[in-house]
C-alpha cells in the first residue's frame, strides 16, 4: 500500500522496482489529498494539488477505513501516545498505517519518520526522488 507522500511523488519515482507490483491506497489518502486544494495558498499550488487528487481518484480503488482498521487504529494510537508521540498530530498517517496493518500489507513511504513508533507496521522506504532544478 502507498502512503500519501508516495502517491504525490509517484510520477517522479525513478525506480519502479521500489514500488509494489500492485499498488493500493486507502480512502484516508484520498481524504488527505482532498484537503490540499482547499488550503493551497496560490492558484498554481491549488491546481497542482487538485491534479494529484484527480489522478489518485482515477488510478486507484481505495481500501476503506473500516471497523477492523478502526480497531487497529486504537492500538496504534495508544502505542504512539505511550511512546510520547501525539497521535492526533499524525492522525492521517496513523489511520493509513492502521489500514495497512488491518489488511496485512506493507506500507511504502517516502517519509518513514511519519510512521516512527508504529512497531506493528511493515514499512518499506521508497527512495526519495531527486529534486528538479
Amino acid at each position: 500500500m502507498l502512503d500519501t507522500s508516495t502517491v504525490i511523488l509517484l510520477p517522479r519515482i525513478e525506480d519502479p522496482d521500489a514500488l509494489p507490483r500492485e499498488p493500493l491506497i486507502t480512502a484516508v489518502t484520498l481524504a488527505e489529498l482532498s484537503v490540499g486544494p482547499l488550503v493551497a495558498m496560490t492558484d498554481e499550488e491549488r491546481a497542482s494539488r487538485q491534479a494529484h487528487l484527480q489522478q489518485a481518484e482515477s488510478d486507484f480503488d481505495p481500501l476503506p477505513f473500516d471497523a477492523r482498521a478502526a480497531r487497529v487504529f486504537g492500538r496504534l494510537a495508544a502505542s504512539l501516545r505511550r511512546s510520547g508521540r501525539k497521535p492526533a498530530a499524525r492522525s492521517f498517517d496513523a489511520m493509513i498505517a492502521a489500514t495497512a496493518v488491518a489488511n496485512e500489507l506493507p506500507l511504502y513511504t517516502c517519509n518513514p519518520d511519519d510512521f516512527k513508533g508504529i512497531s506493528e507496521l511493515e514499512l518499506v522506504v521508497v527512495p526519495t526522488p531527486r529534486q528538479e532544478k
Side-chain angles (χ1 to χ4, degrees), residues 2 9 17 29 57 62 71 80-81 84 106 109 117 122 133:
L2 307 176
L9 294 171
D17 292 333
T29 289
E57 289 174 330
R71 286 190 298 278
L80 288 170
R81 192 170 292 162
T109 183
E122 180 185 346
K133 296 185 183 195

Side-chain angles (χ1 to χ4, degrees), residues 67-88:
R68 185 173 43 167
R71 286 190 298 278
V72 172
F73 175 80
R75 284 197 322 263
L76 298 183
S79 175
L80 288 170
R81 192 170 292 162
R82 283 191 299 275
S83 73
R85 294 189 77 194
K86 296 185 184 209

Side-chain angles (χ1 to χ4, degrees), residues 57-74:
E57 289 174 330
S58 172
D59 289 346
F60 299 100
D61 184 18
L63 294 170
F65 183 80
D66 57 14
R68 185 173 43 167
R71 286 190 298 278
V72 172
F73 175 80

Side-chain angles (χ1 to χ4, degrees), residues 32-42 45-46 49:
E32 192 170 14
L33 290 172
S34 294
V35 173
L38 301 173
V39 298
M41 303 302 273
T42 66
E45 183 182 13
R46 186 174 299 103
R49 291 177 177 197

